[in-house]
Amino acid sequence: QEVLGPAALIAIDQEGGAVMRTIWLPEAPSAMCLGAANDSALCSDVGGAVARAIKALGFNWNFAPVLDVNSNPHNPVIAERAFGDDPSQVAVLANAWMQASLQEGVATCLKHFPGHGDTRVDSHRALPVVNKPRQELERQEFLPFQQCAAFAPAMMTAHIVYPQLDPDLPATLSRTILQGILRDAWGYDGVVITDSMEMQAISDHFGAGAAAVMALQAGADMVMALGSVEEQEATWQALCEAINSGVIAAENNDHSLRRLQLLVKNFPSTQSAYHTRE
């Protein structure tokens, strides 16, 4: 906040359960626990409590909740992070969690669009493929995202190939999915951020810098450039060159900046109580 000022977007993965980045705070229950209780009021209480805790530390953006439907018992990466195996239940409970966070002044980020629940592969380690018909995707994977999209300030993309949507590219890099489905068909105008571009699903197949350019061309507004300093600098350089040369259209860049500016306007970065304590 001192360096970037009030326009800072300071984010954290604070889902609850195993995905809690602040181990000194009381641990919030996982989405699976909340799904077992099937109590939207409880989800609201938990979402609000998580938001208040991280806001006190200075965060104004939480990469949560997870809207993936836990439809594959062999999934190595979602499991307890999902609210359940029923798409409608996932939508209701996740929305209650999200609304409470928004009311506390912490932006949320629905993930992982268009759905990471039915994979046998962890996209941190390899490139998953979900080869399901479009109709089945709409009935299961899409449903929670569609029902919550109108209220969501941001979404995170999945590094997964859906051959029935795009036979060649994972959702993160697919204009067919991000622009064609999310933006055009659904009318979503919130911030779209990628999952980490140093995950092997992307870095091993496309290269972080080239993939970052492809993601912005596809309809993302922001890339999550993790990894080494060298990898981050390579990503930054690739994006600068693409923007300056017009490979990434100026109009696309303007739309992305507008969305990001609106996000931080609605969820400003405020000085925390911990910061001011002597």
Side-chain angles (χ1 to χ4, degrees):
Q1 290 172 346
E2 288 178 348
V3 172
L4 296 175
L9 285 168
I10 306 176
I12 188 172
D13 279 311
Q14 198 83 339
E15 299 172 12
V19 184
M20 290 279 290
R21 306 308 188 197
T22 54
I23 58 174
W24 60 91
L25 291 177
E27 183 176 331
S30 69
M32 181 179 281
C33 288
L34 295 172
N38 196 22
D39 184 338
S40 57
L42 178 61
C43 287
S44 179
D45 288 344
V46 171
V50 169
R52 287 190 296 274
I54 61 174
K55 187 176 183 181
L57 298 174
F59 295 97
N60 58 338
W61 196 7
N62 191 1
F63 292 150
V66 169
L67 264 69
D68 304 321
V69 179
N70 192 29
S71 57
N72 189 334
H74 302 289
N75 195 313
V77 68
I78 300 302
E80 71 155 9
R81 300 170 66 190
F83 285 94
D85 59 6
D86 180 285
S88 297
Q89 180 195 36
V90 169
V92 169
L93 299 183
N95 185 57
W97 198 102
M98 175 177 68
Q99 293 291 351
S101 179
L102 301 181
Q103 290 169 12
E104 295 291 343
V106 175
T108 54
C109 186
L110 307 183
K111 62 186 187 185
H112 308 81
F113 175 81
H116 205 317
D118 195 9
T119 67
R120 287 174 173 260
V121 175
D122 181 351
S123 52
H124 291 87
R125 303 183 181 279
L127 180 59
V129 176
V130 176
N131 195 5
K132 298 167 75 170
R134 170 75 178 256
Q135 190 174 27
E136 189 175 345
L137 289 169
E138 290 177 345
R139 188 168 56 246
Q140 189 164 58
E141 275 78 5
F142 287 9
L143 190 147
F145 290 96
Q146 266 191 298
Q147 292 195 359
C148 295
F151 313 105
M155 284 200 198
M156 183 183 294
T157 65
H159 300 331
I160 300 173
V161 175
Y162 306 83
Q164 301 304 314
L165 304 178
D166 187 326
D168 302 313
L169 297 172
T172 295
L173 309 181
S174 172
R175 188 166 179 83
T176 300
I177 295 174
L178 298 189
Q179 185 66 45
I181 295 175
L182 185 59
R183 297 290 193 203
D184 296 340
W186 294 8
Y188 184 70
D189 196 36
V191 168
V192 174
I193 183 172
T194 72
D195 207 342
S196 170
M197 301 298 271
E198 55 91 34
M199 290 163 61
Q200 287 173 268
I202 295 295
S203 61
D204 284 2
H205 296 268
F206 304 96
V213 174
M214 294 171 69
L216 265 60
Q217 289 176 314
D221 300 301
M222 190 177 192
V223 294
M224 192 187 300
L226 303 183
S228 67
V229 172
E230 291 75 19
E231 288 172 321
Q232 292 181 49
E233 288 177 344
T235 297
W236 168 254
Q237 188 62 38
L239 288 174
C240 287
E241 291 175 2
I243 291 170
N244 291 334
S245 66
V247 170
I248 295 174
E251 183 181 12
N252 287 7
N253 201 39
D254 290 343
H255 287 319
S256 293
L257 290 172
R258 172 185 58 79
R259 294 184 188 108
L260 288 162
Q261 288 164 356
L262 182 61
L263 182 65
V264 78
K265 178 183 177 182
N266 290 336
F267 301 93
S269 179
T270 56
Q271 194 175 66
S272 70
Y274 286 96
H275 178 85
T276 58
R277 185 186 298 171
E278 295 269 329

